[in-house]
Amino acid sequence: MLALAGDDLRTLSQPGGFQEALIRAGEIRLIGEVSEAAAHLGIPPHAFASLSVQRFMERAGDDEWTGLLSHLHDSISPLDTVLTVILRRAVADVMEISR
Amino acid sequence: MRLFDANDRVTSPPPMPIRVNGKEISVASIAREIQNHPAPDPSEARDAAAMALVVRELLLQEADNRGLAPEPKCLAEGRRETEDDAKVRALLDHALALPDPTDAECRRFYEGNRTRFRGPTIFEASHILITADPSKETAWLEAKSSAAAVIGELRDHPDRFTELARDLSDCPSAAQGGNLGQIQTGQMLAEFTAALEDLEPGETTALPVATDHGWHVIHLERRIAGQVLPYDSVKDKIADYLADSVFHRAVHQFVALLAGQATIEGIEIERATSPLVQ
């Protein structure tokens, strides 16, 4: 999982990287939500995506990793699913602090 | 566990919502547009993105007011206009009746800007190349020394250039005694051209000249100044340039007029209340 996330970070650091992953996962609405969350923090969307994954790796405990793995059970593309779950979490956190 | 908390909030107050005649330009759309406006400062990029979206909204609203709903066109490489792009195109075609530049206007531009239509300078030159890889320090310095030694020899025996080029030059021109024939600005590496431009006809470089290929000893035989191209060979390019300039000025003025008639909140935009130029 750490190796997957490491590769993912390199892809995410390029503008457009996370959007491609979310399009593959069918998460079109989430692309807009990420842009909005990024704007609330004053950073570009790709930087928000990259920072979200980095923070998950730094802060996630066993419960969070177990929860993440449970989403991968039926996933066709684990990497895209990991990214979707993390970004949903990150967007929710930003929307809560922005109220 | 939280990925983001209150410490991540931007400390400056949230910007005022941007609205064009009551329609809000969303924060999300500005964030998406930012990537089209690279700037050293993120706030500069954000402002440019917001302005672009405000201008687009003004044009789209005006197109709707005029009842324009054209069929999107096919573009190059199989792409197709979006419906919004088609509306903006139709609006500008409809609203801006721009005449083509006349021949008199083109000639006036040509006469006032003749130096822009001068052809490239031609150099008749020769060189001796001592190749070396700039990343290999020892070999690089050795090559420089060799080139410097050649220059020293030519100072005392300038008639030996052809012989030394044949014996020492690593360039294929060695077979012709280093003769490069006639070369133009833009055909050679920038450092080589710069060295030629500093030489008087008959002179050889006093120091070796470095390029990515190695060290050069360069001799200028003759310089032929570029000729001003005749009007007929550049008039089409002049007409395109003038038409383009007029179009951009007209769009700028049209947008300022639309802005003058609109209610725009949250951003400053140049406004006009009357056409300045017909």
Side-chain angles (χ1 to χ4, degrees):
Chain A
M1 181 62 64
L2 280 175
L4 276 178
D7 289 341
D8 192 24
L9 268 177
R10 276 190 286 281
T11 306
L12 285 179
S13 68
Q14 304 301 316
F18 83 90
Q19 287 99 327
E20 288 173 11
L22 293 185
I23 288 171
R24 283 194 298 271
E27 298 285 345
I28 309 301
R29 187 187 291 271
L30 186 53
I31 297 175
E33 291 171 359
V34 166
S35 293
E36 191 161 349
H40 279 295
L41 300 184
I43 59 176
H46 70 275
F48 175 83
S50 183
L51 185 59
S52 300
V53 171
Q54 182 184 325
R55 287 192 175 181
F56 186 89
M57 289 175 62
E58 288 167 357
R59 300 180 185 185
D62 289 344
D63 287 348
E64 279 85 18
W65 281 112
T66 304
L68 187 63
L69 288 171
S70 69
H71 286 280
L72 300 184
H73 181 67
D74 294 318
S75 171
I76 297 169
S77 177
L79 200 58
D80 298 339
T81 302
V82 163
L83 182 61
T84 301
V85 170
I86 291 173
L87 288 179
R88 279 196 192 290
R89 181 75 175 264
V91 165
D93 284 351
V94 172
M95 290 304 124
E96 194 173 323
I97 62 174
S98 300
R99 284 195 202 109
Chain B
M1 179 205 70
R2 299 184 67 89
L3 296 179
F4 294 94
D5 54 34
N7 293 326
D8 292 303
R9 257 200 305 236
V10 177
T11 52
S12 56
M16 266 189 68
I18 297 174
R19 295 191 185 92
V20 178
N21 292 323
K23 183 169 175 195
E24 186 163 331
I25 308 289
S26 72
V27 169
S29 63
I30 295 172
R32 280 192 296 273
E33 179 68 20
I34 279 175
Q35 63 191 325
N36 298 325
H37 302 272
D41 184 338
S43 65
E44 218 178 289
R46 199 179 305 124
D47 289 346
M51 184 62 72
L53 291 173
V54 165
V55 169
R56 190 167 177 81
E57 184 59 33
L58 278 169
L59 294 171
L60 289 172
Q61 288 184 13
E62 181 64 14
D64 287 340
N65 290 343
R66 296 190 188 206
L68 299 173
E71 189 64 30
K73 273 187 186 172
C74 281
L75 303 172
E77 296 163 3
R79 293 187 300 114
R80 203 171 163 75
E81 274 185 327
T82 63
E83 285 182 7
D84 283 354
D85 286 343
K87 276 190 191 174
V88 169
R89 173 181 51 78
L91 172 67
L92 295 179
D93 286 345
H94 193 252
L96 306 178
L98 301 174
D100 289 331
T102 63
D103 189 65
E105 286 165 343
C106 291
R107 278 192 185 275
R108 199 157 48 240
F109 183 86
Y110 174 80
E111 293 304 333
N113 295 275
R114 288 175 75 90
T115 54
R116 291 169 73 155
F117 304 108
R118 187 178 297 283
T121 302
I122 296 172
F123 304 94
E124 290 181 1
S126 305
H127 82 139
I128 299 169
L129 170 64
I130 312 294
T131 54
D133 182 347
S135 67
K136 295 184 168 56
E137 190 176 344
T138 305
W140 184 249
L141 290 173
E142 283 175 2
K144 184 180 180 183
S145 297
S146 299
V150 168
I151 290 171
E153 177 63 18
L154 288 171
R155 211 171 275 133
D156 296 332
H157 305 284
D159 54 325
R160 291 196 67 199
F161 192 101
T162 303
E163 174 200 341
L164 290 172
R166 283 209 180 96
D167 290 344
L168 301 173
S169 181
D170 295 320
C171 177
S173 64
Q176 285 80 42
N179 189 351
L180 294 168
Q182 289 191 342
I183 48 180
Q184 294 179 4
T185 316
Q187 286 181 330
M188 307 301 286
L189 294 170
E191 301 89 345
F192 196 99
T193 304
L196 276 175
E197 285 170 348
D198 280 344
L199 290 172
E200 292 298 322
E203 280 186 346
T204 302
T205 48
L207 293 170
V209 175
T211 71
D212 286 344
H213 298 306
W215 293 94
H216 304 254
V217 178
I218 304 172
H219 176 79
L220 176 65
E221 189 61 38
R222 195 157 75 114
R223 178 191 284 111
I224 305 164
Q227 302 298 308
V228 174
L229 298 168
Y231 171 71
D232 282 340
S233 68
V234 298
K235 65 181 178 180
D236 288 345
K237 281 199 170 49
I238 292 174
D240 288 344
Y241 173 79
L242 291 179
D244 217 42
S245 298
V246 167
F247 175 77
H248 281 103
R249 275 204 304 276
V251 169
H252 182 83
Q253 188 184 347
F254 181 61
V255 168
L257 272 174
L258 291 179
Q261 295 160 7
T263 304
I264 300 176
E265 303 162 75
I267 191 168
E268 285 298 318
I269 182 169
E270 185 186 333
R271 299 164 187 259
T273 53
S274 67
L276 297 174
V277 175
Q278 290 297 336

